[in-house]
Amino acid sequence: MSVATIALLGQPNSGKSTMFNALTGLHQHVGNWPGKTVEKKEGSFAYKGTTYDVADLPGSYSMSANSDEEVITRDFIASGNADVVCILADSSQLERSLFMLADYAGIDAPCFLVLNMEDVAREQGKTINAAALEKKLSIPVMLFSATDKKAYDKFYQTLERALKNKSHIDVSALEEEYEKLEGYNEIKEQLNDGVMEGYTPMWLTVKYLENDKVVSAKLKSELPADKVAVLESLKGDNNGAIATGECKFKWIDELVDGVVKGKKQSVKLGRLDRIYTHRFWGKPAVVLTVVLGLLASFIPALPIMAVASVFDILKSYLNGVLEAAGCSPFLIGLVCDVLIQSMSYVVKMLGFVFGVTLVFGLLEEVGVMARISYVFDNTMGKLGLQGKSVMPFLVSFGCTMGGAAGARVIDNWGQKVLTIALAWAVPCGAAWATIPMLSTIFFGAGAPVVIVVVLLAMILHMWITAKIFGAKLVNKEDRCGMIMELPPYHKPKWKALFRYVFGRTKDTFFRVVKVVLLVCLIFWLLSYGSGVNDTSILYKVGTAIEPVTKFVGLPWQLFIAFIAASVGKEGAIGVISALYTGGSYGEGFAQAMSGAARAANLGDILLANVSRPEALAFIFAITFNMPCVVALAATYQEIHSVKWTAKIAIYYTVVSLLFACIAYHIGLLIW
Amino acid sequence: MQKLLELLKDGNSRTLEILADELGTTTDDVTRQMEYLERIGVIRRVLQPFENKGCGTCSSCSGCSKNAAACKGCIPQNAALNMGEMWEVV
């Protein structure tokens, strides 16, 4: 009984394991390759009186020395362990999967080619002429489906044929390509047959040109010093691997030409993608999508805002009950003005968190967000940034900290700093909750317009900021292109989407409740005078700075809210809640200004006390103020520079007040 | 492939389809060339912040498999899953 060894060689996903299992069944054992953590699978089967030992070589992309798997594979074959090598390729994508064969060509061991997954290729409408390919390659070639038990008879016959003929790949056409490469012939001349056992001079030359570590080292140790010097002088730049790769692909294309018939995948862009990826229309289309998305997010938000008015009713009801029960004004204020009032704000904010998360989650699910990121990706270059900066920006729409952490993918320090500096301008989740809510209170149906203006201001802000900081931080030459593989459009998975949206809303709820309640309580206490507002410290400080803050359009209460917003945007709501509606000052103020005893509706109080230009100034001020203290810390953590962290923080504070000032004065002209 | 690399170095972003169009070839061809370039280390896939290290990377985070709200710096789970893939020149 004779024994033969076959080695299975193929790229990952070529169906090699399926084939190995089908061939050897239970006769297999698994170990490790000596000294490596790479799995070694061996097995055996008998056919017509011959025992075949099967070595399942580790799945590897090619025969280069880029990984342990590839080195093991190559050594095993070259050392003559296998009587024949069975090379697997994926029939459904021959142009790609024949690369292993092309890289194998030139190794001494006999081989044959199995075009696996022929059923998949057939489903794609492709017909493959194996006989024609066999003629071109002069090794046995067979169509195969490893999952089809009946196909194995044909496999055994092909195997026997390959063993009998000791078939080798006809490399003449491939070598013709190689010969066009600079230095190829000269290097090959230096190499005799057998300089490295198991490899032809052609194969070694190609690997040498590719700068293959193992081959280069081996040749240098095997050859006399003068020959090594000649080799070194002949080797060109580092583009060797690209040039040889081109030769291999060209050879593969010629092999496949006329052998594969059927549907060839053409370059086809969907109608929507043709707009999004259009050089001119892409940007307007994307901006329109974002704006429509934001407007759409008002739809689920508004009913929730209406629900929040229940709190206002609850507040006046409880107020009455507590007063009737003879509770102290302090306790009544604490319950009604701090607790219930804050909750009313929080629920209103949540409506927008829910709306924005839902709409943008949906856009992402169906694949539109990827297109948006693609379009902005190109714009990054104009700001002096890497294309990948776009992801930190998009993440910053959720949380600036995430954006700062996301900037970690950018290796260039200057570009990383600039990316984070610009990410600060992107309104974060907390901003998306507070700003639309405040806009709705102040501007009613005009709120969407305000939001759009804020967005446009954001783009302007980022552009200016990039110009100011960019000069010091980035060189234009650092910029490289990007390739994006856009995901196909698909229907949203509603269940997963809603789980995500509710999860986000819930997380935001708990975080916001904590901040708003705490800030509101502190400021309520600070402003809680002993009945006469003028005595509270806050009032004194506030009125003292008001002449200055008035210039940028902020009454002192709003200015304090602005300061609080730099701790966290939600903080601003806490301050407003305390200073305008809670505490003795708010009460007195409200009474003095509106003449109402105690306005039940918070919106009414705000409207009565804050003019529209002031409101606009405030919205701009907190939108572009520094995102929050934690984001500041995260920024320092990423860029490790106190100087730049401070620079960015001061810059943002100044610019936000500048924006507020401009908004205020424009507002004065309008209203 | 040299042409593909030149396009990559000009600073613009392209989709696979646009690359195929500009090179006068198919997306399959572009894909296999990119696969090769990636293998030989000329280009690399950009790891997104949420990949492999979406959580537990910030110092304040103790891992959020149980409590995603614990760490604000972490990118929320299940976010940005369908954003496509990016490659850049090394």
Side-chain angles (χ1 to χ4, degrees):
Chain A
M1 194 164 175
S2 59
V3 175
T5 302
I6 57 175
L8 302 183
L9 176 68
Q11 293 181 341
N13 303 321
S14 59
K16 203 161 51 69
S17 298
T18 314
M19 188 170 171
F20 177 74
N21 289 334
L23 282 175
T24 59
L26 294 170
H27 304 279
Q28 49 174 272
H29 52 97
V30 180
N32 270 358
W33 292 88
K36 298 281 185 331
T37 50
V38 179
E39 199 179 65
K40 182 181 192 178
K41 280 163 89 182
E42 287 172 310
S44 64
F45 68 93
Y47 179 73
K48 284 193 182 165
T50 305
T51 301
Y52 292 91
D53 289 328
V54 188
D56 184 14
L57 297 174
S60 59
Y61 171 76
S62 68
M63 303 296 286
S64 306
N66 292 328
S67 64
D68 275 355
E69 282 83 355
E70 286 175 332
V71 173
I72 288 169
T73 300
R74 194 159 101 169
D75 287 348
F76 182 86
I77 294 168
S79 57
N81 286 325
D83 297 299
V84 67
V85 178
C86 168
I87 303 173
L88 281 104
D90 178 353
S91 305
S92 65
Q93 38 179 349
L94 277 186
E95 288 92 343
R96 187 169 162 194
S97 64
L98 281 178
F99 188 79
M100 180 60 101
L101 178 90
D103 213 29
Y104 181 91
I107 292 181
D108 277 340
C111 63
F112 66 106
L113 178 64
V114 170
L115 304 178
N116 197 12
M117 297 186 243
E118 61 137 352
D119 47 333
V120 182
R122 203 156 1 99
E123 271 167 36
Q124 291 177 348
K126 287 178 186 163
T127 50
I128 299 168
N129 186 345
L133 193 57
E134 181 163 328
K135 213 172 155 201
K136 286 184 182 185
L137 286 168
S138 79
I139 54 169
V141 176
M142 64 175 290
L143 280 168
F144 189 65
S145 172
T147 47
D148 179 10
K149 289 263 183 293
K150 283 176 240 154
Y152 282 85
D153 266 341
K154 203 170 116 197
F155 172 78
Y156 298 134
Q157 287 155 23
T158 315
L159 170 65
E160 285 182 319
R161 199 148 55 92
L163 270 172
K164 204 177 101 203
N165 299 341
K166 298 215 175 304
S167 52
H168 284 81
I169 302 170
D170 177 1
V171 295
S172 53
L174 180 59
E175 186 152 29
E176 265 173 46
E177 294 296 330
Y178 288 148
E179 278 165 2
K180 293 176 198 159
L181 299 178
E182 203 181 326
Y184 174 82
N185 288 320
E186 292 83 347
I187 292 175
K188 200 183 153 199
E189 271 169 27
Q190 305 292 321
L191 306 173
N192 310 320
D193 278 332
V195 61
M196 263 176 87
E197 206 59 52
Y199 305 105
T200 61
M202 175 190 100
W203 193 87
L204 290 173
T205 310
V206 169
K207 286 296 160 208
Y208 190 75
L209 282 171
E210 286 170 9
N211 221 350
D212 185 288
K213 279 172 288 181
V214 179
V215 168
S216 302
K218 185 89 178 170
L219 286 182
K220 276 175 201 166
S221 67
E222 296 284 316
L223 293 171
D226 56 323
K227 278 201 170 186
V228 171
V230 176
L231 281 186
E232 284 299 286
S233 69
L234 286 168
K235 195 162 68 178
D237 49 11
N238 292 326
N239 287 332
I242 293 176
T244 59
E246 272 177 344
C247 294
K248 286 168 201 165
F249 284 131
K250 201 166 171 215
W251 182 64
I252 292 169
D253 287 343
E254 280 162 13
L255 284 179
V256 171
D257 188 38
V259 165
V260 182
K261 289 203 181 81
K263 279 178 217 155
K264 206 163 196 185
Q265 203 203 339
S266 56
V267 185
K268 233 200 264 167
L269 280 177
R271 199 182 305 156
L272 203 51
D273 273 353
R274 233 175 294 157
I275 299 171
Y276 278 134
T277 55
H278 194 278
R279 280 199 194 285
F280 179 75
W281 291 110
K283 262 168 231 154
V286 156
V287 169
L288 191 70
T289 308
V290 173
V291 168
L292 287 179
L294 283 173
L295 296 187
S297 66
F298 273 77
I299 298 168
L302 291 177
I304 300 179
M305 270 196 86
V307 168
S309 57
V310 170
F311 282 98
D312 298 328
I313 300 165
L314 185 70
K315 183 178 161 186
S316 54
Y317 171 75
L318 258 182
N319 202 35
V321 169
L322 289 173
E323 254 171 22
C327 290
S328 73
F330 182 81
L331 187 69
I332 296 174
L334 201 62
V335 172
C336 294
D337 295 332
V338 178
L339 192 67
I340 297 177
Q341 193 61 65
S342 300
M343 289 308 286
S344 157
Y345 269 119
V346 169
V347 172
K348 281 178 184 165
M349 281 165 67
L350 280 186
F352 289 99
V353 173
F354 179 81
V356 170
T357 320
L358 177 65
V359 169
F360 285 92
L362 183 64
L363 284 180
E364 186 195 309
E365 266 278 309
V366 297
V368 172
M369 274 307 260
R371 273 77 186 171
I372 293 176
S373 106
Y374 166 76
V375 173
F376 282 123
D377 196 65
N378 254 334
T379 315
M380 292 301 112
K382 300 198 174 69
L383 300 178
L385 289 176
Q386 300 279 1
K388 52 186 167 175
S389 300
V390 75
M391 277 312 292
F393 290 160
L394 287 180
V395 173
S396 293
F397 271 111
C399 171
T400 313
M401 274 190 75
R408 221 171 284 172
V409 296
I410 298 158
D411 329 290
N412 180 301
W413 183 81
Q415 286 177 332
K416 180 158 57 172
V417 176
L418 186 59
T419 302
I420 297 179
L422 292 180
W424 277 34
V426 178
C428 69
W432 284 123
T434 45
I435 291 154
M437 185 195 74
L438 288 173
S439 306
T440 312
I441 290 176
F442 285 114
F443 302 101
V449 182
V450 175
I451 300 299
V452 171
V453 174
V454 166
L455 260 184
L456 294 177
M458 174 195 96
I459 295 171
L460 181 73
H461 187 310
M462 290 175 82
W463 187 76
I464 295 172
T465 309
K467 291 290 162 208
I468 292 175
F469 288 128
K472 277 190 186 166
L473 289 169
V474 293
N475 300 320
K476 270 271 189 290
E477 303 85 71
D478 290 341
R479 160 97 183 156
C480 269
M482 295 282 293
I483 305 176
M484 277 196 74
E485 185 175 5
L486 298 176
Y489 291 106
H490 57 73
K491 287 200 188 109
K493 297 183 207 83
W494 290 105
K495 216 173 145 193
L497 179 64
F498 273 104
R499 204 181 309 129
Y500 166 69
V501 172
F502 280 118
R504 280 298 295 271
T505 312
K506 195 186 82 190
D507 291 349
T508 313
F509 174 76
F510 287 117
R511 199 183 70 223
V512 163
V513 161
K514 266 182 273 176
V515 175
V516 172
L517 268 183
L518 190 70
V519 174
C520 184
L521 180 66
I522 292 170
F523 280 88
W524 182 79
L525 288 174
L526 282 177
S527 63
Y528 194 87
S530 50
V532 192
N533 351 341
D534 303 16
T535 55
S536 89
I537 307 159
L538 202 62
Y539 178 78
K540 282 180 186 159
V541 175
T543 43
I545 58 167
E546 193 155 39
V548 184
T549 63
K550 265 287 184 192
F551 178 72
V552 295
L554 300 176
W556 69 269
Q557 295 94 334
L558 288 185
F559 186 77
I560 289 172
F562 164 77
I563 303 281
S566 51
V567 179
K569 307 267 185 205
E570 314 92 312
I573 299 299
V575 176
I576 291 180
S577 187
L579 294 189
Y580 279 114
T581 55
S584 52
Y585 176 75
E587 195 180 342
F589 195 87
Q591 280 171 345
M593 294 298 291
S594 61
R598 178 190 272 270
N601 191 316
L602 159 81
D604 292 346
I605 299 173
L606 276 179
L607 276 177
N609 292 320
V610 180
S611 74
R612 285 180 146 196
E614 284 170 346
L616 195 65
F618 181 63
I619 285 170
F620 270 87
I622 65 165
T623 306
F624 296 111
N625 192 9
M626 67 180 238
C628 63
V629 173
V630 208
L632 183 76
T635 301
Y636 170 70
Q637 205 183 326
E638 293 303 326
I639 67 178
H640 306 290
S641 161
V642 178
K643 193 184 101 187
W644 274 99
T645 312
K647 249 189 197 178
I648 296 170
I650 293 166
Y651 170 82
Y652 267 83
T653 311
V654 171
V655 168
S656 61
L657 289 174
L658 200 67
F659 262 113
C661 183
I662 296 168
Y664 176 64
H665 288 281
I666 291 176
L668 282 181
L669 293 177
I670 301 173
W671 295 290
Chain B
M1 241 172 322
Q2 203 63 54
K3 264 193 231 153
L4 173 63
L5 213 57
E6 272 160 32
L7 286 182
L8 277 174
K9 283 178 176 161
D10 74 357
N12 284 315
S13 300
R14 292 177 179 81
T15 64
L16 287 182
E17 287 84 2
I18 288 173
L19 275 173
D21 190 38
E22 287 186 30
L23 295 169
T25 180
T26 61
T27 47
D28 283 350
D29 186 37
V30 175
T31 310
R32 85 174 168 176
Q33 290 187 39
M34 281 176 40
E35 189 180 14
Y36 181 72
L37 290 176
E38 195 179 343
R39 291 280 165 180
I40 63 173
V42 174
I43 62 171
R44 67 168 164 232
R45 204 163 76 82
V46 177
L47 273 180
Q48 300 300 0
F50 44 80
E51 279 181 314
N52 305 326
K53 48 176 187 176
C55 180
T57 44
C58 26
S59 55
S60 59
C61 181
S62 51
C64 48
S65 51
K66 276 187 192 160
N67 184 9
C71 172
K72 280 210 285 175
C74 292
I75 288 125
Q77 282 182 315
N78 304 323
L81 289 177
N82 196 30
M83 293 302 291
E85 306 220 4
M86 290 185 188
W87 288 265
E88 60 178 351
V89 179
V90 174

